[in-house]
């Protein structure tokens, strides 16, 4: 589990500000994911990436931007934060084909005022 | 796309009893079905998983069964203990892309 980290762990921001959440993994997993977790909704996929420079939308991508210039990093940016984006964000990684288990980071709690 | 439904949303059992959580999925192409346990304030952690070419898998007090024809799979926890209290999520999908159920909050009363 220590192989996947997220920063910051807690973040308070204001409506309209840009926020970037960082995710870093040391396993060289090809797949990386961003989820948001809200009460009553479980884990919802925002974006995922199959490899460096390859990203795709998940279930709830609106208002978010991702990039993946390096295999180990997968930052998530809220371009103009809204209160509805207050949530806990989890990053995960996996290596499909060998073992499809997704390993989750510790999460980032984001509060948008 | 895939859709995963999970029931019940809450489950309360006495210590020592069994607990069963059920999930259904919609995409017949899904071939990987993990179960995650999430304790309060912690990250989800894998407890058991099953692939579509297997009907049942067991790991000590935990077992998962899969019925591909009916597109449903279940988590069985026997001899429950207070430390089993957590939220459990099922997932379904393939090629590393998973859709999760909304979770079941399991409470084990001593």
């Amino acid at each position: 589990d220590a192989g996947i980290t997220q920063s910051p762990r807690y973040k308070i921001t204001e409506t309209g500000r840009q926020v970037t959440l960082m995710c870093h993994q040391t396993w060289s997993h090809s797949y990386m994911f961003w989820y948001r977790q809200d009460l009553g909704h479980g884990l919802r996929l925002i974006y995922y990436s199959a490899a460096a420079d390859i990203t795709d939308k998940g279930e709830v991508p609106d208002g978010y931007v991702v990039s993946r210039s390096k295999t180990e990093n997968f930052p998530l940016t809220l371009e103009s934060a809204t209160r509805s984006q207050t949530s806990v964000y989890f990053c995960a990684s996996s290596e499909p084909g060998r073992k499809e288990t997704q390993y989750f980071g510790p999460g980032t709690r984001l509060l948008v005022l | 796309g895939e859709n995963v439904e999970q029931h019940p949303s809450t489950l309360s059992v006495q210590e020592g009893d069994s607990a069963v959580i059920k999930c259904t999925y919609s995409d017949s192409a899904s071939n990987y079905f993990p179960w995650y346990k999430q304790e309060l304030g912690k990250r989800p952690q894998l407890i058991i998983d099953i692939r579509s070419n297997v009907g049942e898998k067991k790991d000590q007090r935990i077992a998962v069964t899969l019925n591909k024809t009916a597109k449903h799979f279940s988590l069985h926890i026997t001899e429950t203990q207070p430390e089993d209290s957590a939220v459990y999520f099922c997932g379904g999908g393939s090629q590393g892309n998973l859709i999760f159920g909304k979770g079941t909050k399991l409470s084990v009363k001593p």
Side-chain angles (χ1 to χ4, degrees), chain A residues 13-17 80-83 112-113:
Chain A
T13 191
E14 295 178 336
T15 301
R17 290 191 182 263
S80 179
T82 65
R83 288 180 183 167
V112 183
L113 301 175

Side-chain angles (χ1 to χ4, degrees), chain A residues 35-109:
Chain A
Y35 295 91
R36 60 177 291 174
Q37 186 173 39
D38 306 288
L39 201 61
H41 289 281
L43 291 159
R44 291 185 291 174
L45 183 65
I46 304 171
Y47 269 96
Y48 68 101
S49 169
D53 298 321
I54 300 175
T55 62
D56 210 346
K57 296 179 180 179
E59 186 182 353
V60 289
D62 293 343
Y64 303 96
V65 175
V66 293
S67 62
R68 189 139 178 236
S69 58
K70 292 183 178 180
T71 300
E72 60 267 30
N73 296 325
F74 191 36
L76 175 74
T77 298
L78 289 65
E79 292 190 302
S80 179
T82 65
R83 288 180 183 167
S84 65
Q85 292 177 311
T86 292
S87 187
V88 180
Y89 291 85
F90 285 101
C91 177
S93 71
S94 73
E95 190 59 44
R98 188 172 65 188
K99 185 166 176 63
E100 296 197 40
T101 303
Q102 289 191 19
Y103 297 91
F104 284 82
T108 294
R109 289 185 176 273

Side-chain angles (χ1 to χ4, degrees), chain B residues 63-93:
Chain B
V64 57
T65 58
L66 171 65
N67 182 326
K68 284 196 303 182
T69 303
K71 293 183 188 171
H72 68 70
F73 56 110
S74 301
L75 177 71
H76 304 255
I77 306 174
T78 59
E79 301 173 13
T80 53
Q81 301 167 3
E83 51 264 40
D84 294 329
S85 295
V87 177
Y88 292 81
F89 293 97
C90 64

Side-chain angles (χ1 to χ4, degrees), chain B residues 31-95:
Chain B
N31 58 17
Y32 177 64
F33 306 94
W35 286 90
Y36 284 82
K37 175 183 180 182
Q38 186 179 26
E39 297 175 345
L40 192 62
K42 301 284 183 66
R43 74 187 79 188
Q45 295 204 314
L46 181 78
I47 54 172
I48 195 166
D49 57 9
I50 192 167
R51 299 187 183 278
S52 58
N53 58 349
V54 175
E56 184 174 358
K57 185 177 179 180
K58 191 173 182 180
D59 183 3
Q60 298 182 340
R61 297 186 295 110
I62 296 172
V64 57
T65 58
L66 171 65
N67 182 326
K68 284 196 303 182
T69 303
K71 293 183 188 171
H72 68 70
F73 56 110
S74 301
L75 177 71
H76 304 255
I77 306 174
T78 59
E79 301 173 13
T80 53
Q81 301 167 3
E83 51 264 40
D84 294 329
S85 295
V87 177
Y88 292 81
F89 293 97
C90 64
S94 60
Q95 290 299 311

